[in-house]
């Protein structure tokens, strides 16, 4: 368990530093990396389903955006 806390605390330092950078400019888009593929695909799917429900077409710029 001590090893778990040590590893988590090391990650926490990095995560908190990243959050401080995000908080400084909340309107700046976060640039996705290869590790963000799952959330990127989810966001695109959700945007497509919402657009379909609202009757928008697939050439809507929001559907091709990276977020």
């Amino acid at each position: 368990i001590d090893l778990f806390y040590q590893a988590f605390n090391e990650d926490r330092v990095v995560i908190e530093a990243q959050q401080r950078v995000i908080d400084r400019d909340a309107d700046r888009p976060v640039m996705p990396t290869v590790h963000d593929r799952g959330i990127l695909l989810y966001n695109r799917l959700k945007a497509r389903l919402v657009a379909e429900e609202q009757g928008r077409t697939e050439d809507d710029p929001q559907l091709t955006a990276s977020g």
Side-chain angles (χ1 to χ4, degrees):
I1 291 188
D2 289 337
L3 184 60
F4 167 78
Y5 286 113
Q6 179 183 353
F8 176 78
N9 285 329
E10 289 172 3
D11 290 345
R12 186 180 67 172
V13 170
V14 173
I15 293 168
E16 288 174 347
Q18 290 172 331
Q19 189 62 51
R20 283 191 298 275
V21 170
I22 292 168
D23 290 345
R24 278 194 297 236
D25 189 1
D27 294 330
R28 183 179 185 171
V30 176
M31 299 303 294
T33 68
V34 68
H35 305 290
D36 299 315
R37 183 163 171 75
I39 192 66
L40 184 64
L41 292 173
Y42 165 80
N43 286 336
R44 287 180 182 169
L45 174 62
K46 182 176 72 170
R48 190 186 84 218
L49 293 173
V50 168
E52 289 173 3
E53 188 173 285
Q54 294 176 349
R56 295 190 317 230
T57 63
E58 288 210 11
D59 56 339
D60 188 316
Q62 289 184 350
L63 299 181
T64 57
S66 64

